Amino acid sequence: MRRLSLFIIITLLFVTASFSQGLHLSVSDEPLSKTLRRLDLDLSFDARALSKYSLTVERSFDSPQQAIDFLLKGKPLVCEQINGVYVISQIIEPTSAERKKYVQLPVFNLYGIIRDAHSGERLPYAYISSSHATASGDVNGVFDFKLHSNNPVKLKFSYLGYHDLDTLLNLGNHNIELFPKPITLRGLTVASSSNAMLMQSGLSSGEVRVNQQVAIMMPGNADNSVFNILQLMPGVRASGEPPNNLIVWGSSMGESSVVFDGFTLYGMKGFNDNISSINPYMVKDIRLMKGGYNASQGSRVGAITEITGIDGRRYKPSFKANLSNLTANLFASAPIAKQTSLTAAYRQTFYKLYDIENLNSQGNNASSSKDKPWHGAGLRPNQSAIYILPNYRFSDGNIKLSGQVSDKDSYYISLYAADDKFDFSLLGDDNYTIDASEESRQYGSAAKYAKMWARGAISDLAISFSQLSTKTDHLQGIGGSGSGQQALKSTKLSNVMQESAIKLKHRFRPHESHQMEIGSEWMVYRSSINGLENTLLKPSLFIIDNISLKKLTISPGLRFDLRNNLLPRLSIKMPFDQWTATAAWGLYNQYISNIPIHNTSNNYQFVWQILDKPMRSMHTVAGLAYSENGFLASVEGYAKKINNAARLSIDTTYMTDINIYGIDLFLKKEIGKSLVFGSYSLASIREYSSELGQELKSGAVIALSPFYISATYIYGTGFANLSSLGHGRGQTMMGNNAIVDEDKPYSRLDLSVRYSFKLRTATMNTGLSVLNLLDTQNVKYNYMMADKNEVTSIYTSATPFTTMFFLEVIF
């Protein structure tokens, strides 16, 4: 038996050795067709085609298939075994169209809507990230992805003031619900801390995002919470307490815009800026684009503040009332049909409720008394100044109807109206007589329908209208007494500015790494000054391509104003770990502005009008941000050039070019429900002379539930008064003598305490704010008048030491 086993093993080894020897190849520079014939196999091939390949081989093979694979390796040849015959054929390269057809992978869609988990409100511009790319939702809260795999995808959703959501999503349509991070108390519930962002800066070029819930916690009247918080952001000027048409990155009044629910707002006079044209009860999202914004935005050379209004309550009614010593604010929202809600708000000032003389240390009467230590501050001896506290009345109302046609389509109609009156009178020492009043009325309306298509694409159609009507009446005179006294000069001015627009845009994702946005816009401007009317038509087209290359996002865009103006834009974003690097560049045009004109009394007034020659601007922005565990640090540098900007001299206005360079630094740390932040801004403004302005700002909200304590501090220096639209240090000419306002620093410390408690079914909030706690003597410029002998600058007092009380009820 052993002999038989040994015989079998030896036989197998012999056969194997014999077989291996039969597939041993030893050839030198031999055609492939001849080498294949040495294999003594049943082969079929085109000898002519294979003879062009020469081989040199010295090797043994274990099997015929192994030998053939080796000989054909690296050549456009393929081998198949058919009925025992090895068939060798050439691989035919497909055309580009055929190649695309063959290699195209199946496409899968993942899309949906991001909402507030409690109210169902859509959350605009949420951030979405995965291991491969970052993206953002749109203004309707819609997001979409195209994938080449049907496997579940892990995504992270982040939104200002909300807890982050890490989730695994399958393909198809989704409703993503994010839970807000409580800041104000709803009852006595104590919420856990989170990494929810209350302020954002540095995640997109030139963009700042602010949670409205943080804004209402800051010192000051809640009726101006939107602008209070924006003026604490880096790059937004607070020195001199400019009006609520924001002064950003060295720009002048009228060069930046405020857009609410799609229609433009033009600002107001304001009484110590304690009320603004935006009712905070109507606000859902605050987005400040300081510069470098994309091609879908147009018509400004400065910043754009985009404020998205709330959709309203669709599940149960809600009522809010806020009463302070300055204003009353009423709000109501209720469902009126399935998936439809109606929201309304009304505000009214009533300064006579409390004695302003007791609330404001400067009193409520105009005065030129030289006993006041700060009379004439910031002026040279040959220039006089008058400080006034005007009479002021304001009221406004909002109505909004919003709803959904289906789970995907949404719509709203938003209406706004405001009435603003401002007046003062002065008599003094036979040197001046002034009686001035201004009445402004604003109207705004917008209607929008958003449709989400089957694969996540979305189309928006928006129609908007806004109008500002202003009437001013000035009676004034400057001069000596007796026969030398000049006659009073009367000036009446009527100014109307209208903007009508239709905007259609479509966003879709043609490829996994491309998200396209295309659109068109038809705008009509109408302006009138004392009945002299002017009209401008401005149609535009734009296209944006957001290209995602793993973590890198490149967004080229092109805007074409059909007045022969081609405006390219480009932005880049690169997140890595906790860092985000951003950069942007673009060209921008502006066709209307708030510019000064001289009237018959030889003083100037600001009016809105269509420009004879459009302003042009170029923005260059670059920044770096670090964010982790509620800590945020961002630095951003910018360069901005403006052509055809309006400026003022003593007897005329003129057009000039401006170069602005600057840097913004922002720091923020969230600790539980508390917040500490600070910013530093430096701006160099170069015209016929150079101006260097700096601002240091800081703030904190300390949560000691149920008490909340907040404080803000602003220090600014180097910024000129707004007499020359914010530049040139207010320089004017009187004969051959230049009069230059001195550089007077601005500083202000504000403090507030807020207490929240539950009373049956109502939530109660009450508190006290102290503005300008140190009673620093600041001024804010209003306007100037002059004659042949004297220049007089008219100032309203900046906010003095002021106490403000409020009581809020929420059902």
Side-chain angles (χ1 to χ4, degrees):
M1 187 69 180
R2 291 180 179 176
R3 291 180 178 179
L4 179 60
S5 300
L6 182 60
F7 175 80
I8 294 173
I9 293 173
I10 294 173
T11 302
L12 289 173
L13 291 173
F14 178 80
V15 171
T16 302
S18 300
F19 184 76
S20 299
Q21 288 178 353
L23 284 180
H24 182 80
L25 293 178
S26 178
V27 298
S28 177
D29 196 22
E30 184 176 80
L32 175 60
S33 58
K34 185 176 180 180
T35 304
L36 286 171
R37 291 192 181 97
R38 291 176 179 272
L39 299 178
D40 194 22
L41 297 171
D42 289 333
L43 295 167
S44 175
F45 54 82
D46 184 349
R48 184 176 179 181
L50 270 62
S51 62
K52 64 181 180 180
Y53 300 104
S54 296
L55 298 173
T56 298
V57 179
E58 183 66 43
R59 182 167 179 170
S60 298
F61 301 96
D62 296 334
S63 66
Q65 186 65 54
Q66 184 185 30
I68 294 174
D69 291 342
F70 178 82
L71 296 175
L72 301 186
K73 185 178 180 181
K75 303 174 182 63
L77 301 170
V78 64
C79 178
E80 300 181 84
Q81 191 175 17
I82 303 175
N83 296 325
V85 178
Y86 292 89
V87 179
I88 300 173
S89 59
Q90 285 187 301
I91 298 175
I92 300 175
E93 291 291 332
T95 64
S96 58
E98 290 174 330
R99 184 182 298 111
K100 183 176 180 181
K101 179 180 178 180
Y102 293 143
V103 302
Q104 186 172 15
L105 299 175
V107 175
F108 302 96
N109 295 284
L110 189 156
Y111 56 96
I113 300 173
I114 306 167
R115 302 177 185 272
D116 182 301
H118 294 160
S119 66
E121 292 269 355
R122 296 182 176 217
L123 302 179
Y125 307 115
Y127 289 97
I128 308 152
S129 59
S130 69
S131 59
H132 300 292
T134 60
S136 64
D138 66 2
V139 68
N140 305 298
V142 175
F143 70 95
D144 71 287
F145 286 91
K146 282 192 181 295
L147 308 169
H148 292 307
S149 170
N150 59 359
N151 296 324
V153 179
K154 186 176 181 180
L155 295 176
K156 180 178 180 180
F157 295 86
S158 303
Y159 188 76
L160 202 65
Y162 285 71
H163 295 274
D164 290 349
L165 175 64
D166 287 289
T167 185
L168 197 65
L169 295 181
N170 293 313
L171 302 176
N173 188 18
H174 297 271
N175 272 311
I176 302 300
E177 294 186 339
L178 302 184
F179 288 86
K181 176 183 179 182
I183 300 171
T184 56
L185 288 180
R186 301 299 182 192
L188 296 178
T189 302
V190 178
S192 62
S193 63
S194 77
N195 59 349
M197 296 171 287
L198 304 178
M199 298 176 180
Q200 287 176 357
S201 177
L203 296 185
S204 296
S205 288
E207 182 175 303
V208 173
R209 299 280 298 282
V210 182
N211 187 329
Q212 170 61 9
Q213 293 299 312
V214 175
I216 63 177
M217 302 296 292
M218 295 299 175
N221 191 352
D223 283 323
N224 194 27
S225 61
V226 173
F227 290 96
N228 281 345
I229 191 67
L230 283 176
Q231 289 185 349
L232 290 172
M233 295 299 99
V236 181
R237 176 174 168 177
S239 300
E241 300 178 19
N244 59 31
N245 48 351
L246 298 174
I247 309 298
V248 181
W249 278 359
S251 291
S252 299
M253 291 188 293
E255 293 176 9
S256 298
S257 72
V258 176
V259 179
F260 178 78
D261 264 352
F263 57 82
T264 300
L265 294 175
Y266 298 94
M268 60 186 69
K269 278 289 185 185
F271 176 78
N272 284 337
D273 293 324
N274 288 325
I275 192 168
S276 77
S277 52
I278 306 292
N279 190 327
Y281 280 154
M282 299 297 297
V283 174
K284 176 167 59 177
D285 185 82
I286 304 172
R287 183 186 184 208
L288 171 63
M289 294 168 280
K290 296 184 288 186
Y293 36 85
N294 66 33
S296 66
Q297 306 285 350
S299 305
R300 284 296 189 273
V301 297
I304 296 177
T305 304
E306 185 178 82
I307 300 174
T308 305
I310 62 172
D311 295 330
R313 299 299 295 269
R314 298 182 186 176
Y315 307 127
K316 62 179 181 178
S318 173
F319 175 79
K320 302 177 185 180
N322 190 324
L323 180 68
S324 75
N325 52 307
L326 296 179
T327 61
N329 188 0
L330 303 176
F331 168 91
S333 181
I336 59 173
K338 185 178 180 180
Q339 299 293 318
T340 303
S341 66
L342 181 64
T343 302
Y346 177 78
R347 295 184 297 173
Q348 174 71 56
T349 58
F350 44 86
Y351 297 121
K352 300 301 181 181
L353 181 62
Y354 294 93
D355 186 356
I356 296 180
E357 282 198 17
N358 294 327
L359 295 174
N360 297 338
S361 62
Q362 301 304 322
N364 65 341
N365 297 316
S367 174
S368 62
S369 172
K370 296 184 179 180
D371 296 332
K372 291 188 177 181
W374 59 308
H375 176 80
L379 301 174
R380 293 188 180 277
N382 62 341
Q383 189 174 12
S384 61
I386 305 164
Y387 296 91
I388 64 169
L389 284 170
N391 295 317
Y392 180 65
R393 299 184 304 279
F394 174 81
S395 61
D396 74 346
N398 292 80
I399 297 177
K400 186 172 183 179
L401 178 71
S402 61
Q404 292 184 200
V405 177
S406 64
D407 290 338
K408 299 179 181 180
D409 297 359
S410 63
Y411 67 90
Y412 70 75
I413 300 173
S414 183
L415 306 175
Y416 171 79
D419 185 63
D420 178 32
K421 296 180 180 178
F422 176 97
D423 62 78
F424 65 91
S425 297
L426 289 174
L427 295 172
D429 303 336
D430 295 330
N431 289 325
Y432 55 81
T433 301
I434 306 173
D435 188 355
S437 66
E438 180 172 319
E439 180 176 352
S440 299
R441 289 184 176 177
Q442 285 197 85
Y443 306 95
S445 61
K448 180 179 178 180
Y449 189 92
K451 180 174 182 58
M452 189 167 74
W453 303 94
R455 296 185 177 180
I458 187 165
S459 299
D460 286 350
L461 175 63
I463 303 173
S464 64
F465 171 82
S466 61
Q467 175 178 304
L468 174 69
S469 299
T470 303
K471 294 181 179 180
T472 58
D473 189 354
H474 288 179
L475 183 68
Q476 62 191 48
I478 304 176
S481 58
S483 60
Q485 187 173 14
Q486 298 182 14
L488 295 178
K489 300 176 182 179
S490 177
T491 302
K492 294 185 178 182
L493 187 143
S494 174
N495 181 214
V496 178
M497 187 70 231
Q498 285 184 2
E499 179 185 290
S500 305
I502 300 176
K503 188 172 184 178
L504 175 65
K505 62 180 181 179
H506 180 68
R507 195 183 74 166
F508 62 101
R509 192 177 289 275
H511 185 267
E512 179 183 4
S513 61
H514 290 260
Q515 185 183 68
M516 304 285 295
E517 184 173 343
I518 58 175
S520 62
E521 186 177 54
W522 182 276
M523 300 190 72
V524 181
Y525 295 117
R526 290 187 176 91
S527 67
S528 172
I529 301 176
N530 284 343
L532 183 61
E533 296 186 354
N534 196 5
T535 301
L536 174 68
L537 304 179
K538 189 183 75 63
S540 303
L541 301 172
F542 64 86
I543 182 170
I544 306 168
D545 185 9
N546 297 301
I547 306 169
S548 298
L549 304 174
K550 293 186 177 181
K551 290 291 186 178
L552 176 65
T553 301
I554 304 174
S555 300
L558 188 63
R559 187 177 183 90
F560 182 50
D561 288 345
L562 301 183
R563 298 171 59 82
N564 300 319
N565 292 310
L566 201 61
L567 306 172
R569 317 272 172 90
L570 175 67
S571 66
I572 300 173
K573 179 166 66 174
M574 178 65 180
F576 48 98
D577 297 328
Q578 285 76 40
W579 296 86
T580 303
T582 60
W585 176 88
L587 300 180
Y588 305 85
N589 281 352
Q590 181 169 333
Y591 300 89
I592 66 169
S593 190
N594 190 22
I595 65 174
I597 63 170
H598 279 75
N599 58 33
T600 55
S601 300
N602 202 30
N603 67 317
Y604 73 88
Q605 294 173 260
F606 287 94
V607 296
W608 283 95
Q609 68 177 25
I610 297 172
L611 301 174
D612 294 331
K613 189 176 183 180
M615 300 170 63
R616 303 180 185 276
S617 180
M618 182 174 69
H619 299 178
T620 305
V621 188
L624 184 65
Y626 176 85
S627 178
E628 185 177 22
N629 296 327
F631 174 75
L632 170 65
S634 71
V635 61
E636 196 163 45
Y638 62 90
K640 183 164 63 173
K641 182 176 182 179
I642 302 176
N643 302 113
N644 304 321
R647 290 297 178 263
L648 176 75
S649 67
I650 190 65
D651 55 2
T652 186
T653 57
Y654 61 94
M655 310 305 289
T656 187
D657 296 339
I658 306 167
N659 289 285
I660 305 172
Y661 305 91
I663 188 169
D664 292 342
L665 174 65
F666 183 72
L667 298 172
K668 179 211 68 172
K669 176 61 178 175
E670 297 172 25
I671 308 170
K673 291 183 290 181
S674 298
L675 168 70
V676 180
F677 66 93
S679 69
Y680 171 77
S681 300
L682 175 68
S684 173
I685 306 167
R686 302 176 184 177
E687 296 180 46
Y688 54 87
S689 63
S690 295
E691 173 185 341
L692 187 67
Q694 304 177 73
E695 284 192 327
L696 181 66
K697 308 170 189 177
S698 61
V701 178
I702 308 300
L704 303 172
S705 185
F707 289 94
Y708 292 82
I709 302 172
S710 63
T712 59
Y713 177 74
I714 300 170
Y715 179 85
T717 183
F719 288 104
N721 286 317
L722 296 176
S723 57
S724 63
L725 291 178
H727 307 295
R729 303 200 183 282
Q731 178 168 307
T732 60
M733 295 297 297
M734 186 178 68
N736 295 323
N737 299 319
I739 300 174
V740 183
D741 292 352
E742 294 177 359
D743 177 14
K744 185 178 185 298
Y746 173 93
S747 66
R748 174 172 151 182
L749 174 65
D750 296 344
L751 181 68
S752 78
V753 178
R754 182 184 183 99
Y755 174 67
S756 299
F757 60 97
K758 190 81 172 179
L759 185 62
R760 294 185 179 180
T761 59
T763 298
M764 311 290 291
N765 297 305
T766 186
L768 166 69
S769 288
V770 180
L771 307 183
N772 198 357
L773 179 66
L774 304 180
D775 199 18
T776 307
Q777 298 168 358
N778 299 311
V779 298
K780 58 187 295 185
Y781 202 93
N782 186 32
Y783 71 91
M784 174 194 68
M785 63 182 187
D787 67 359
K788 296 179 180 180
N789 302 313
E790 186 175 3
V791 174
T792 300
S793 299
I794 310 299
Y795 292 85
T796 59
S797 63
T799 303
F801 177 91
T802 303
T803 53
M804 301 177 64
F805 307 90
F806 81 92
L807 175 65
E808 183 182 38
V809 183
I810 302 174
F811 291 98

